[in-house]
Coordinates of all heavy atoms in Angstrom, one line a residue:
H53 N 2.0 53.6 22.7 CA 0.8 53.2 23.3 C -0.4 53.9 22.6 O -1.2 54.6 23.3 CB 0.7 53.2 24.7 CG 1.8 52.4 25.4 ND1 1.9 51.0 25.3 CD2 2.9 52.8 26.0 CE1 3.0 50.6 26.0 NE2 3.7 51.8 26.4
M54 N -0.5 53.8 21.3 CA -1.7 54.5 20.7 C -1.9 53.6 19.4 O -1.1 52.9 18.9 CB -1.4 55.9 20.3 CG -0.3 56.2 19.5 SD -0.7 56.3 17.7 CE 0.9 56.2 17.0
G55 N -3.2 53.7 18.9 CA -3.6 52.9 17.8 C -3.9 53.8 16.6 O -3.7 55.0 16.6
V56 N -4.3 53.1 15.5 CA -4.6 53.8 14.3 C -5.8 54.8 14.4 O -5.8 55.8 13.7 CB -4.8 52.7 13.1 CG1 -6.1 52.0 13.3 CG2 -4.7 53.4 11.8
S57 N -6.8 54.5 15.3 CA -7.9 55.4 15.4 C -7.4 56.7 16.0 O -8.0 57.7 15.6 CB -8.9 54.8 16.3 OG -8.4 54.4 17.6
Y58 N -6.4 56.7 16.8 CA -5.8 58.0 17.3 C -5.2 58.7 16.1 O -5.4 60.0 16.1 CB -4.8 57.7 18.4 CG -4.1 58.9 18.9 CD1 -4.7 59.7 19.8 CD2 -2.8 59.3 18.5 CE1 -4.1 60.9 20.3 CE2 -2.2 60.4 18.9 CZ -2.9 61.2 19.9 OH -2.2 62.3 20.3
V59 N -4.5 58.1 15.3 CA -3.9 58.7 14.1 C -5.0 59.4 13.3 O -4.8 60.5 12.9 CB -3.0 57.7 13.4 CG1 -2.5 58.4 12.1 CG2 -1.8 57.2 14.3
I60 N -5.9 58.6 13.0 CA -7.0 59.2 12.1 C -7.7 60.4 12.8 O -8.0 61.4 12.1 CB -8.1 58.1 11.8 CG1 -7.5 57.0 10.9 CG2 -9.3 58.6 11.1 CD1 -8.2 55.7 10.7
A61 N -7.9 60.3 14.1 CA -8.5 61.4 14.8 C -7.6 62.6 14.8 O -8.1 63.8 14.6 CB -8.8 61.0 16.3
E62 N -6.3 62.4 14.9 CA -5.4 63.5 14.8 C -5.3 64.2 13.4 O -5.2 65.4 13.3 CB -4.0 63.1 15.3 CG -3.8 62.9 16.8 CD -4.0 64.1 17.6 OE1 -3.3 65.2 17.2 OE2 -4.8 64.2 18.5
L63 N -5.4 63.3 12.4 CA -5.4 63.9 11.1 C -6.7 64.7 10.8 O -6.6 65.8 10.3 CB -5.4 62.7 10.0 CG -4.1 62.0 9.9 CD1 -4.3 60.8 9.0 CD2 -3.1 62.9 9.2
H64 N -7.9 64.2 11.4 CA -9.1 65.0 11.2 C -9.0 66.3 12.0 O -9.4 67.4 11.6 CB -10.3 64.3 11.8 CG -11.0 63.4 10.8 ND1 -11.9 63.9 9.9 CD2 -10.7 62.1 10.4 CE1 -12.3 63.0 9.1 NE2 -11.6 61.9 9.3
E65 N -8.4 66.3 13.3 CA -8.3 67.5 14.1 C -7.3 68.5 13.3 O -7.6 69.7 13.4 CB -7.6 67.1 15.4 CG -7.4 68.2 16.3 CD -8.7 68.8 16.9 OE1 -9.6 68.1 16.9 OE2 -8.6 70.0 17.2
G66 N -6.3 68.0 12.6 CA -5.4 68.9 12.0 C -6.0 69.6 10.8 O -5.4 70.7 10.4
Y67 N -7.0 69.1 10.1 CA -7.5 69.6 8.9 C -8.9 70.2 9.1 O -9.4 70.8 8.1 CB -7.4 68.6 7.8 CG -5.9 68.3 7.5 CD1 -5.3 67.1 7.7 CD2 -5.1 69.3 7.0 CE1 -4.0 66.8 7.5 CE2 -3.8 69.1 6.7 CZ -3.2 67.8 6.9 OH -1.9 67.5 6.7
T68 N -9.6 70.0 10.1 CA -10.9 70.6 10.3 C -10.7 72.0 10.7 O -9.6 72.4 10.9 CB -11.7 69.9 11.3 OG1 -10.9 69.8 12.6 CG2 -12.1 68.4 11.0
F69 N -11.7 72.8 10.8 CA -11.7 74.2 11.0 C -10.9 74.5 12.2 O -11.2 74.0 13.3 CB -13.1 74.9 11.0 CG -13.1 76.3 11.1 CD1 -12.9 77.0 10.0 CD2 -13.2 76.9 12.3 CE1 -12.8 78.5 10.0 CE2 -13.2 78.4 12.4 CZ -13.1 79.1 11.2
N70 N -9.9 75.4 12.1 CA -9.1 75.7 13.3 C -8.5 77.1 13.1 O -8.9 77.8 12.2 CB -8.0 74.6 13.5 CG -7.0 74.4 12.3 OD1 -6.9 75.3 11.5 ND2 -6.5 73.3 12.2
L71 N -7.4 77.4 13.9 CA -6.8 78.7 13.9 C -6.1 79.0 12.6 O -6.2 80.2 12.1 CB -5.8 78.8 15.0 CG -5.1 80.2 15.2 CD1 -6.2 81.2 15.6 CD2 -4.1 80.1 16.4
K72 N -5.6 78.0 11.9 CA -5.0 78.3 10.6 C -6.0 78.8 9.5 O -5.6 79.7 8.8 CB -4.4 77.0 10.0 CG -3.2 76.5 10.7 CD -2.6 75.3 10.1 CE -1.4 74.7 10.9 NZ -0.9 73.4 10.3
H73 N -7.2 78.3 9.6 CA -8.2 78.8 8.7 C -8.5 80.3 9.0 O -8.7 81.1 8.1 CB -9.5 78.0 8.9 CG -9.5 76.7 8.3 ND1 -8.9 75.6 9.0 CD2 -9.9 76.2 7.1 CE1 -9.0 74.5 8.3 NE2 -9.6 74.8 7.1
I74 N -8.6 80.7 10.2 CA -8.9 82.1 10.6 C -7.7 83.0 10.2 O -8.0 84.1 9.6 CB -9.1 82.2 12.1 CG1 -10.4 81.4 12.5 CG2 -9.2 83.6 12.6 CD1 -10.6 81.2 14.0
I75 N -6.5 82.6 10.4 CA -5.4 83.4 10.0 C -5.3 83.6 8.5 O -5.0 84.6 7.9 CB -4.0 82.8 10.6 CG1 -4.0 82.9 12.1 CG2 -2.8 83.5 10.0 CD1 -2.9 82.2 12.8
S76 N -5.6 82.4 7.8 CA -5.6 82.5 6.4 C -6.6 83.5 5.9 O -6.5 84.3 5.0 CB -5.9 81.1 5.8 OG -6.0 81.1 4.4
A77 N -7.8 83.5 6.5 CA -8.9 84.3 6.1 C -8.5 85.8 6.5 O -8.9 86.8 5.7 CB -10.2 84.0 6.8
I78 N -7.9 86.1 7.5 CA -7.4 87.4 7.9 C -6.5 88.0 6.8 O -6.5 89.2 6.5 CB -6.8 87.4 9.3 CG1 -7.8 87.2 10.4 CG2 -6.1 88.7 9.5 CD1 -7.3 87.0 11.8
N79 N -5.7 87.1 6.3 CA -4.7 87.5 5.3 C -5.3 87.5 3.9 O -4.6 87.6 2.9 CB -3.5 86.6 5.4 CG -2.7 86.8 6.6 OD1 -2.6 87.9 7.1 ND2 -2.0 85.7 7.0
F80 N -6.6 87.4 3.8 CA -7.4 87.4 2.5 C -6.9 86.2 1.5 O -6.8 86.4 0.4 CB -7.3 88.8 1.8 CG -7.8 89.9 2.6 CD1 -6.9 90.8 3.2 CD2 -9.2 90.0 2.8 CE1 -7.4 91.8 4.0 CE2 -9.7 91.0 3.6 CZ -8.8 92.0 4.2
S81 N -6.7 85.1 2.2 CA -6.2 84.0 1.3 C -7.1 82.8 1.8 O -7.3 82.5 2.9 CB -4.8 83.6 1.7 OG -4.4 82.4 1.0
D82 N -7.5 82.1 0.8 CA -8.3 80.9 1.0 C -7.5 79.6 0.7 O -8.1 78.5 0.6 CB -9.6 80.8 0.3 CG -9.4 80.8 -1.2 OD1 -8.4 81.1 -1.8 OD2 -10.5 80.5 -1.9
E83 N -6.3 79.8 0.5 CA -5.4 78.6 0.1 C -5.4 77.5 1.2 O -5.6 76.4 0.8 CB -3.9 79.1 -0.1 CG -3.1 77.9 -0.6 CD -1.6 78.4 -0.9 OE1 -1.4 79.6 -0.8 OE2 -0.8 77.5 -1.2
W84 N -5.3 77.9 2.4 CA -5.3 76.8 3.5 C -6.6 76.1 3.6 O -6.6 74.9 3.8 CB -4.9 77.4 4.8 CG -4.9 76.3 5.9 CD1 -5.8 76.3 6.9 CD2 -4.2 75.1 6.0 NE1 -5.7 75.2 7.6 CE2 -4.7 74.4 7.1 CE3 -3.1 74.6 5.2 CZ2 -4.2 73.2 7.5 CZ3 -2.6 73.3 5.6 CH2 -3.1 72.7 6.8
S85 N -7.7 76.9 3.4 CA -9.0 76.3 3.4 C -9.2 75.2 2.3 O -9.7 74.1 2.6 CB -10.1 77.4 3.3 OG -10.0 78.2 4.5
R86 N -8.7 75.6 1.1 CA -8.8 74.6 0.0 C -7.9 73.4 0.3 O -8.3 72.3 0.1 CB -8.4 75.3 -1.3 CG -9.4 76.2 -1.9 CD -9.1 76.7 -3.2 NE -8.2 77.9 -3.1 CZ -7.0 77.9 -3.6 NH1 -6.5 77.0 -4.4 NH2 -6.2 79.0 -3.3
V87 N -6.7 73.6 0.7 CA -5.7 72.5 1.0 C -6.3 71.6 2.1 O -6.3 70.4 2.0 CB -4.3 73.1 1.4 CG1 -3.5 72.0 2.0 CG2 -3.7 73.7 0.2
A88 N -6.8 72.2 3.2 CA -7.3 71.5 4.3 C -8.5 70.6 3.8 O -8.7 69.5 4.2 CB -7.7 72.4 5.4
K89 N -9.4 71.2 3.0 CA -10.6 70.5 2.6 C -10.2 69.3 1.7 O -10.7 68.3 1.8 CB -11.4 71.5 1.8 CG -12.8 70.9 1.2 CD -13.6 71.9 0.5 CE -14.8 71.2 0.0 NZ -15.6 72.1 -0.7
E90 N -9.2 69.5 0.8 CA -8.7 68.4 -0.1 C -8.1 67.3 0.7 O -8.4 66.1 0.5 CB -7.8 68.9 -1.1 CG -8.4 69.8 -2.2 CD -7.3 70.5 -3.0 OE1 -6.1 70.2 -2.8 OE2 -7.7 71.3 -3.9
R91 N -7.3 67.7 1.7 CA -6.7 66.7 2.5 C -7.6 65.9 3.4 O -7.5 64.7 3.6 CB -5.5 67.3 3.4 CG -4.4 67.7 2.6 CD -3.2 68.3 3.3 NE -2.1 68.7 2.5 CZ -1.0 69.1 2.9 NH1 -0.8 69.3 4.2 NH2 0.0 69.4 2.1
L92 N -8.6 66.6 4.0 CA -9.6 66.0 4.8 C -10.4 65.0 4.0 O -10.7 63.9 4.4 CB -10.5 67.0 5.4 CG -11.4 66.6 6.6 CD1 -10.6 65.9 7.7 CD2 -12.2 67.8 7.1
N93 N -10.7 65.4 2.8 CA -11.4 64.6 1.8 C -10.6 63.3 1.5 O -11.2 62.1 1.6 CB -11.8 65.3 0.6 CG -12.8 64.5 -0.3 OD1 -13.5 63.8 0.1 ND2 -12.5 64.8 -1.7
F94 N -9.4 63.5 1.3 CA -8.5 62.3 1.1 C -8.4 61.4 2.3 O -8.5 60.2 2.1 CB -7.0 62.8 0.7 CG -6.2 61.7 0.2 CD1 -6.1 61.4 -1.1 CD2 -5.4 61.0 1.1 CE1 -5.3 60.4 -1.5 CE2 -4.6 59.9 0.7 CZ -4.5 59.7 -0.6
V95 N -8.4 61.9 3.5 CA -8.3 61.1 4.7 C -9.6 60.4 4.8 O -9.6 59.1 5.1 CB -8.1 62.0 5.9 CG1 -8.3 61.2 7.2 CG2 -6.6 62.6 5.9
D96 N -10.7 61.0 4.6 CA -12.0 60.3 4.7 C -12.2 59.2 3.7 O -12.8 58.2 4.1 CB -13.2 61.4 4.5 CG -13.3 62.2 5.7 OD1 -12.8 61.9 6.8 OD2 -13.9 63.3 5.6
N97 N -11.6 59.3 2.5 CA -11.8 58.3 1.5 C -10.8 57.3 1.4 O -10.9 56.4 0.6 CB -12.0 59.0 0.2 CG -13.2 59.9 0.0 OD1 -14.3 59.5 0.5 ND2 -13.1 61.0 -0.6
N98 N -9.8 57.4 2.2 CA -8.7 56.4 2.2 C -8.2 55.9 3.5 O -7.0 55.8 3.8 CB -7.4 57.1 1.4 CG -7.8 57.4 0.0 OD1 -7.8 56.5 -0.8 ND2 -8.0 58.7 -0.3
I99 N -9.2 55.5 4.3 CA -8.8 55.0 5.7 C -8.0 53.7 5.6 O -7.1 53.6 6.3 CB -10.2 54.7 6.4 CG1 -11.0 56.0 6.6 CG2 -9.9 54.0 7.8 CD1 -10.3 57.0 7.4
D100 N -8.2 52.9 4.6 CA -7.4 51.6 4.5 C -6.0 51.9 4.1 O -5.1 51.3 4.6 CB -8.0 50.7 3.5 CG -8.4 51.3 2.2 OD1 -8.3 52.5 2.0 OD2 -8.6 50.5 1.2
V101 N -5.8 52.9 3.4 CA -4.4 53.4 3.0 C -3.7 53.9 4.3 O -2.5 53.6 4.5 CB -4.3 54.4 1.9 CG1 -3.0 54.9 1.6 CG2 -5.0 53.8 0.6

Side-chain angles (χ1 to χ4, degrees):
H53 304 291
M54 57 90 192
V56 70
S57 59
Y58 176 79
V59 172
I60 293 169
E62 286 295 307
L63 287 170
H64 271 274
E65 180 71 25
Y67 295 114
T68 54
F69 187 79
N70 59 25
L71 187 60
K72 288 181 185 177
H73 288 82
I74 295 169
I75 292 171
S76 178
I78 289 172
N79 294 327
F80 301 106
S81 172
D82 65 343
E83 181 179 356
W84 174 248
S85 294
R86 284 186 280 122
V87 168
K89 182 178 178 182
E90 290 171 3
R91 290 182 178 184
L92 192 57
N93 188 31
F94 188 90
V95 168
D96 288 339
N97 292 323
N98 295 287
I99 298 295
D100 52 344
V101 175

